[in-house]
């Protein structure tokens, strides 16, 4: 995850609430988010095993969309 336009403490609280286990990159100047074309959160990118972006979703994710995108990323080569 990339902490983009959020306080680190707020991001940590959110991750704790979601029981997130993924690493979080601090992006205080917005450089990383801007490099990916993010204009505002939430924006989720899905990567394949090689680290290539295979899809993305702008806005909130439903469980169904999240599951579909994860399956798609896992099957991408």
């Amino acid at each position: 995850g990339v902490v983009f336009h959020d306080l680190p403490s707020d991001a940590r609280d959110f991750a704790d609430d979601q029981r997130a286990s993924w690493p979080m990159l601090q992006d205080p100047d917005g450089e990383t988010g801007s490099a990916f074309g993010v204009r505002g959160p939430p924006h989720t990118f899905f990567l394949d095993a090689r680290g290539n972006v295979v899809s993305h979703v702008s806005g909130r994710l439903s469980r169904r969309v999240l599951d579909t995108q994860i399956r798609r990323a896992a099957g991408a080569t």
Side-chain angles (χ1 to χ4, degrees):
V2 178
V3 180
F4 180 81
H5 291 265
D6 281 314
L7 294 172
S9 59
D10 290 346
R12 206 171 20 260
D13 289 346
F14 174 79
D16 289 346
D17 288 346
Q18 299 300 309
R19 297 183 182 153
S21 60
W22 59 81
M24 292 191 310
L25 168 75
Q26 300 296 318
D27 188 19
D29 60 4
E31 187 174 319
T32 301
S34 294
F36 281 91
V38 174
R39 291 187 176 90
H43 204 99
T44 305
F45 290 86
F46 297 88
L47 299 105
D48 65 15
R50 295 182 178 157
N52 299 307
V53 175
V54 295
S55 64
H56 69 275
V57 175
S58 180
R60 292 182 59 115
L61 291 174
S62 68
R63 182 57 150 183
R64 183 182 60 79
V65 170
L66 179 62
D67 290 343
T68 299
Q69 295 298 328
I70 288 172
R71 281 194 302 277
R72 182 176 295 161
T77 57

